[in-house]
Amino acid sequence: MLILNKTAGVFFKPSKRKIYEYLRSFNFHPGKVFLHKLVLGIETSCDDTAAAVVDETGNVWGEAIHSQTEVHLKTGGIIPPVAQQLHRENIQRIVQEALSVSKISPSELSAIATTIKPGLALSLGVGLSFSLQLVDQLKKPFIPIHHMEAHALTIRLTNKVEFPFLVLLISGGHCLLALVRGVSDFLLLGKSLDIAPGDMLDKVARRLSLIKHPECSTMSGGKAIEHLAKQGNKLHFDFKPPMQRAKNCDFSFSGLQHVVDKTITQKEKEEGIEKGQLLSSAADIAAAVQHTTACHIAKRTHRAILFCKQRNFLSESNAVLVVSGGVASNLYIRKALEIVTNATQCTLLCPPPRLCTDNGVMIAWNGIERLRAGLGILYDTEGIRYEPKCPLGVDISKEVGEAAIKVPPLKMKI
Ligand code: KG4
Ligand code: ZN
């Protein structure tokens, strides 16, 4: 359909959303035949209250987010009751904002999708009870969402990616490698045995008191480490990558965190400063931690690619690795992964940074994916509960370890 652009005096091909808005400006209501499926997504699993309206073609009609990062930075970590209170204070406003930016009436929604697992119990509870009230009021179907499934599928909103593909999810709460065979069909290849990389970077940043650094005071721990690392020399400290002997795709970050902690204590002694003051070697430590983290993540991912290739799990002509989650916005780690994908003839894809961290768009999009596949759409929400702990897919990490694939060394020249 072509519409005359009066100001420019030329014909242009508008997006479907523009056509819809144009028709609406004449009070023309096209109704369900014309309108694409629209899903409202609501996310409150951790420390972001987020909502978005997304259509079937991946158009984002409206989105809103309230981040609690600043509050949690001040308290030195997420305190669940504080997160719960902030979700309660903001959820109504954020959902309202996403709906009003999208200029649709709630009655036009096809469904409401909300994260119900995994995450902080108190945070998940706020999103779920708000959504259930809305579902009841609007008489809409409800689509419960797995937070990690949503992270994994986000790439299909921004890029044309077919199943199967390999996904690496690295954030503050999660760390896993999985083969995505369908909307809700995952094979778990490996996961962190202790903490997630974002959690480790947050702890190191806190131990280095980066909140006191003028350039980093408002950044998340991981972002502060990336920023400071650019000014440091990674060779000044030698932190060994964890689990070098374990030939599986699992991860570990708490050992590295303790080693870094001890090094910081040692440096404080050498520099004659108190805990809580900024170290002159903070940038070098940041650079070395980031490098070791990148090498560890790259090695496990390399093994996962080789395992999938050995089992013919990925397309031979177009094997794709998707990287998402808050830590995926780290460009140094992305470069390390690029070295791996270049060496294994894979395509590396990452959603844009704003879709890598928690957001409402990914939840709404997961709702669209499930709606299209006819999976997990509830017309009766009786008995629905949130689940703080919930693995993703079928765990085959033992089988991956038994394959004991040796990974050829790669030069990590980043
Ligand atoms: O996905 P996300 O928003 O929340 C969940 O944990 O689910 O990820 C937040 C995490 C935090 O630990 C934060 O420090 C980390 O992602 N992060 C980064 C960067 N930006 C955020 N880590 C490394 N480099 C970054 N640029
Ligand atoms: Zn997340």
Side-chain angles (χ1 to χ4, degrees), residues 43 45-46 48 147-148 151 170-174 325-326 356-359 362:
E43 158 67 32
S45 69
C46 190
D48 291 304
H147 182 81
M148 305 313 287
H151 269 308
I170 37 177
S171 71
H174 307 283
C356 275
T357 49
D358 291 352
N359 62 84
M362 71 182 196

Side-chain angles (χ1 to χ4, degrees), residues 127-192:
L128 179 59
S129 61
F130 181 88
S131 304
L132 292 184
Q133 278 176 34
L134 204 59
V135 160
D136 190 48
Q137 197 185 319
L138 299 172
K139 305 277 173 274
K140 297 287 174 188
F142 181 58
I143 308 176
I145 299 293
H146 190 299
H147 182 81
M148 305 313 287
E149 179 180 304
H151 269 308
L153 298 178
T154 307
I155 198 72
R156 283 165 50 86
L157 175 144
T158 55
N159 299 61
K160 214 176 153 356
V161 180
E162 302 294 337
F163 299 119
F165 59 89
L166 186 62
V167 73
L168 166 70
L169 298 177
I170 37 177
S171 71
H174 307 283
C175 177
L176 60 85
L177 271 161
L179 181 73
V180 190
R181 300 192 299 187
V183 172
S184 109
D185 182 2
F186 290 73
L187 291 183
L188 186 66
L189 306 175
K191 60 181 182 313
S192 176

Side-chain angles (χ1 to χ4, degrees), residues 194-212:
D194 39 63
I195 59 174
D199 191 10
M200 183 270 294
L201 294 172
D202 289 342
K203 285 184 166 120
V204 170
R206 260 200 313 275
R207 183 65 186 81
L208 285 170
S209 303
L210 297 189
I211 195 163
K212 291 188 184 155

